[in-house]
Amino acid sequence: MAHSNTPGRLADGDVCSLVNALSQAIERHTRQVSDRFGLTSAQAVALRELPEPRTLRELARRMHCEASNATFVADRLEAMGLLERRPHPTDRRAKLLHLTPEGAALRKKVVRQLQVDSPIRRLTDEEQTTLRDLLARAAD
């Protein structure tokens, strides 16, 4: 890997390439897990991001996608009997996405499998925390 001339610093291209490689490895792993459960990757990610009821807007933000994409995924999960929309308790215009008992059970299995052999699991807990903190800082 080529390094920049600045001591102790990777070239921006090196960092971007590594982040992209990690992203692709995570996406491959997510696809493998979602295939086992008859889901799309987006559906598996949506289940992962619904440990508690959320609005569609919150789900889209957590999935890093457009609201229309999250709506499509939520529609499919609802049609599968895995989630339902309920009125928001304080915002009449919004609905909350609630997992059904079947959805919650499937979420538990999906999350467990996403953790098995995850590329991130190669790191120690301390390294995972450091990576999370650094990525959050860089993404800000």
Side-chain angles (χ1 to χ4, degrees), residues 19-31:
V19 168
N20 189 44
L22 177 59
S23 176
Q24 289 176 1
I26 291 169
E27 177 57 30
R28 274 192 308 276
H29 178 63
T30 302
R31 261 195 321 274

Side-chain angles (χ1 to χ4, degrees), residues 27-28 37 47 66-67 70 93 95 101 103 110 117 121 130:
E27 177 57 30
R28 274 192 308 276
F37 293 102
L47 287 174
E66 297 295 324
R93 299 165 296 164
K95 299 276 186 197
V110 167
D117 295 330
R121 288 288 182 172
T130 300

Side-chain angles (χ1 to χ4, degrees), residues 12 22 39 69 72 87 103:
D12 281 351
L22 177 59
L39 300 168
N69 291 354
F72 179 78

Side-chain angles (χ1 to χ4, degrees), residues 70-114:
T71 299
F72 179 78
V73 171
D75 287 348
R76 300 284 68 79
L77 291 173
E78 188 173 31
M80 296 165 73
L82 300 174
L83 103 88
E84 58 189 21
R85 290 171 167 92
R86 296 183 192 163
H88 193 286
T90 59
D91 184 350
R92 292 183 324 184
R93 299 165 296 164
K95 299 276 186 197
L96 284 178
L97 305 175
H98 286 260
L99 292 178
T100 63
E102 296 81 8
L106 181 57
R107 179 190 181 277
K108 188 181 234 181
K109 292 175 188 174
V110 167
V111 168
R112 188 177 312 125
Q113 285 303 302
L114 286 172

